[in-house]
Amino acid sequence: MIKTVETKPFDGQRPGTSGLRKKVTVFQQAHYTENFIQSIFNVLDGFKGKTLVIGGDGRFYNDRVVQIAIRMAAANGFGKVITGQGGLLSTPAASHVIRLNKAFGGIILSASHNPGGPDGDFGIKYNGGNGGPAPEKVTEAIFAQTKTISTYKTVEAADIDLGKIGSSTIEGMSVEVIDPVADYATLMQSLFDFPAIKALLASGFTMKFDGMSAITGPYGTRIFEGLLGAAKGTVMNGVPLPDFGGHHPDPNLVHAKELCDLVIGGKGPDFGAASDGDGDRNLIVGKGIYVTPSDSLAIIAANAQLAPGYKGGIAGVARSMPTSCAADRVAAKLKINHFETPTGWKFFGNLLDAGKATICGEESFGTGSNHVREKDGVWAVLMWLNILAARKQSVADIVKGHWAEYGRNYYTRHDYEEVASDAANALMSGLRAQLSKLVGQHNIVKADDFAYDDPVDGSHTEGQGIRLIFANGARIIYRLSGTGTSGATLRVYIEDYEADAKKHDADPQVALAALIKLARDVAQIEKLTGRAEPTVIT
Ligand code: VG1
Ligand code: CO
């Protein structure tokens, strides 16, 4: 039976860089989750009888919210819900399932790389029929709904059994439970040279993939160990856990330390990779080398045609503004489009839909292409394996060869996590106030607050990060995170370009030391936040 429940608005339900992210305990408040889901439905038009995809990364509370969302979809008039077994779908797989089934849209449950568990984080976001995160005009409309909502619709019904693959109905709406990996694995086989990768793995080349006790364990096990024949045990931390084993499922040098020590240390396998909580990020390491996400994007763009799905070449490459300019150099050489967008995958959707860009990436361990409308961790790993199989060189040789050809964009990101919000805001407004007078000092030729005009729909987005651009192309960028759930996180991105191959072997922290110091001084980071050092360096 459909019922209408009275409710009152909650403050602060504004989606951030990637959906609404809050502590689990916030989502557990009576009506909180329902209010947000109803607000999504309230801004959508014409979904009666259509299909909605629902799935999440398996973190604590995923199982409850999937049931809540299914009931509300039925009460609001959707014709069908498709979800993965156990309510699980990686973010890129959800994007694919939306596109494959020509669904109206999807609700993705994840707080990505944020910790999980009863005291951890949870998140909800809406993706449209193109499989991509809702653009800002939609997320802002959802936020407006959350401020005035007074009722939501649900049905009184028992939980749907999501443990078994198959179909059932609830209040006249059908619910199809699918294998979360199968369609995605088929898509990957259509893009990459699986026989060549299989031959590489059979030839003594070794790899490790860290699923970080999150969603990509089953995807990695099926694809790397199953379809590609990698040795059993190639996938580590391959069983998804509701609390990710107590770790941050964030594939970087800090949180994937065990893998990095093993592979970068040179005594482990030839190739290492990891993904995050919801499967859209990737970390790539090789014997003796860490590949920065910015370099990975550039190298993928330069080599994509080696993979069958991209053999006709790529139309363009897009990167988020803080991502290093390495990819721009590849685009210039290939004479293809390049785009600089604000942070967050939602800004790539229009470029991909319009065929203007084929490969996209962010410095935050996100790379992807037009095969879906999300970044895609396992895709990036397969792309690297395909490149390695085709070029028959080591990761280090490919990276160093790339630098020799294009020059090296030394790059680092310094994060100051859980800083007091007031201090972080004061720091950003202090920077904004100095912008005009900074030009001319320290060889700064441009200082601004990044704004973006979408070349496809003309939408305008402001306040996307302070940029200091130097005469030689070096950059310092400051922005506040839009995915955190406590206090503020200040991100400082530092980049410098070195053309001379004889100077390509430095530690980035050393090569960038003078710029790092300048970045701290100009923003008065220690004075305003009390932090002498960042909490995470990537
Ligand atoms: C961070 C990253 C951004 C990424 C976003 C979502 O956002 O910087 O590049 O798109 O996370 O990724 P912020 O606002 O905290 O800097 V995920 O894997 O959390 O969906
Ligand atoms: Co993620």
Side-chain angles (χ1 to χ4, degrees):
M1 202 184 62
I2 296 179
K3 66 173 185 184
T4 301
V5 181
E6 308 259 315
T7 185
K8 289 204 181 70
F10 286 89
D11 280 342
Q13 290 194 321
R14 177 183 233 144
T17 312
S18 182
L20 181 68
R21 287 193 194 166
K22 301 283 176 194
K23 294 277 172 218
V24 166
T25 48
V26 173
F27 277 100
Q28 283 172 326
Q29 297 170 83
H31 311 308
Y32 188 94
T33 298
E34 290 86 347
N35 274 19
F36 189 70
I37 294 173
Q38 187 65 53
S39 297
I40 295 173
F41 294 157
N42 287 352
V43 306
L44 305 178
D45 217 8
F47 58 76
K48 290 271 180 291
K50 301 265 171 69
T51 299
L52 182 71
V53 173
I54 304 176
D57 63 11
R59 67 179 58 229
F60 182 84
Y61 211 45
N62 191 106
D63 54 350
R64 294 315 314 147
V65 179
V66 173
Q67 298 287 349
I68 291 171
I70 290 174
R71 285 193 183 89
M72 292 182 65
N76 278 274
F78 277 95
K80 179 177 179 179
V81 158
I82 302 177
T83 185
Q85 190 174 16
L88 303 183
L89 282 173
S90 77
T91 294
S95 182
H96 178 52
V97 171
I98 293 170
R99 295 165 65 78
L100 185 67
N101 294 282
K102 302 196 166 44
F104 187 86
I107 289 184
I108 299 181
L109 311 175
S110 170
S112 190
H113 57 290
N114 296 16
D119 301 319
D121 292 345
F122 194 77
I124 302 181
K125 70 173 177 174
Y126 177 71
N127 282 29
N130 71 345
E136 288 223 302
K137 62 176 188 306
V138 176
T139 55
E140 285 301 302
I142 294 170
F143 178 50
Q145 283 291 326
T146 67
K147 293 193 278 191
T148 58
I149 190 164
S150 58
T151 60
Y152 63 83
K153 282 191 199 159
T154 186
V155 298
E156 265 169 24
D159 278 1
I160 298 265
D161 179 6
L162 303 178
K164 283 200 292 290
I165 289 168
S167 296
S168 56
T169 58
I170 173 170
E171 197 63 37
M173 181 187 82
S174 75
V175 179
E176 187 183 353
V177 179
I178 62 169
D179 173 341
V181 181
D183 292 331
Y184 178 83
T186 306
L187 175 64
M188 293 301 116
Q189 285 175 293
S190 76
L191 298 174
F192 298 112
D193 188 346
F194 271 51
I197 300 173
K198 204 169 176 175
L200 174 74
L201 288 163
S203 72
F205 175 94
T206 50
M207 68 174 277
K208 275 261 180 222
F209 175 79
D210 190 345
M212 305 196 86
S213 307
I215 192 71
T216 51
Y219 293 82
T221 306
R222 184 98 60 96
I223 294 171
F224 303 129
E225 295 185 14
L227 296 171
L228 292 168
K232 285 251 165 317
T234 291
V235 176
M236 54 199 268
N237 303 312
V239 178
L241 301 173
D243 68 348
F244 309 122
H247 301 295
H248 272 257
D250 195 356
N252 61 31
L253 297 169
V254 176
H255 298 299
K257 190 169 187 310
E258 191 191 337
L259 175 84
C260 291
D261 286 350
L262 190 69
V263 184
I264 303 173
K267 297 217 167 62
D270 300 302
F271 178 69
S275 190
D276 71 331
D278 62 330
D280 56 2
R281 297 188 176 204
N282 73 89
L283 166 75
I284 303 292
V285 289
K287 232 184 220 328
I289 192 159
Y290 156 64
V291 187
T292 67
S294 294
D295 280 344
S296 179
L297 172 66
I299 291 166
I300 287 175
N303 291 278
Q305 82 289 347
L306 297 173
Y310 307 87
K311 66 172 186 296
I314 57 175
V317 47
R319 62 167 175 82
S320 67
M321 182 275 282
T323 304
S324 98
C325 300
D328 303 11
R329 294 178 183 277
V330 175
K333 188 152 194 175
L334 296 177
K335 299 195 171 54
I336 56 172
N337 302 324
H338 71 90
F339 299 92
E340 182 175 47
T341 60
T343 296
W345 211 261
K346 59 188 167 197
F347 294 102
F348 293 134
N350 281 343
L351 299 173
L352 293 167
D353 286 350
K356 289 179 178 291
T358 308
I359 304 282
C360 304
E362 296 192 275
E363 53 62 44
S364 54
F365 301 84
T367 337
S369 86
N370 59 354
H371 68 293
V372 290
R373 293 293 180 274
E374 291 278 3
K375 54 191 187 279
D376 188 343
V378 171
W379 173 91
V381 180
L382 288 167
M383 179 60 100
W384 265 94
L385 286 170
N386 197 138
I387 293 168
L388 290 164
R391 291 190 44 169
K392 301 187 168 50
Q393 285 176 293
S394 69
V395 175
D397 286 347
I398 289 174
V399 173
K400 288 181 180 164
H402 186 92
W403 291 339
E405 186 175 350
Y406 293 92
R408 178 172 181 185
N409 287 71
Y410 275 105
Y411 188 83
T412 189
R413 179 174 113 182
H414 287 199
D415 288 339
Y416 298 78
E417 297 172 313
E418 298 192 29
V419 170
S421 295
D422 292 351
N425 290 328
L427 185 148
M428 292 301 284
S429 34
L431 280 169
R432 266 185 211 106
Q434 304 182 55
L435 288 178
S436 55
K437 79 166 199 276
L438 280 169
V439 177
Q441 293 182 35
H442 318 288
N443 282 324
I444 295 173
V445 291
K446 185 170 177 182
D448 68 359
D449 194 350
F450 182 62
Y452 177 65
D453 289 299
D454 186 301
V456 179
D457 68 10
S459 57
H460 179 76
T461 309
E462 292 181 345
Q464 295 298 312
I466 304 285
R467 302 193 287 186
L468 309 182
I469 302 177
F470 296 75
N472 62 354
R475 302 191 306 164
I476 296 174
I477 291 147
Y478 306 85
R479 59 179 284 281
L480 299 183
S481 159
T483 58
T485 60
S486 38
T489 292
L490 169 68
R491 305 201 196 283
V492 186
Y493 312 79
I494 299 133
E495 170 180 7
D496 200 1
Y497 178 69
E498 177 56 68
D500 183 354
K502 290 195 286 300
K503 297 183 185 158
H504 284 172
D505 288 324
D507 173 345
Q509 303 307 318
V510 175
L512 297 168
L515 280 171
I516 292 170
K517 179 168 186 317
L518 183 65
R520 294 179 184 183
D521 291 348
V522 168
Q524 300 191 291
I525 295 178
E526 184 169 2
K527 179 165 173 239
L528 292 172
T529 68
R531 303 283 181 82
E533 294 294 328
T535 37
V536 176
I537 295 179
T538 51

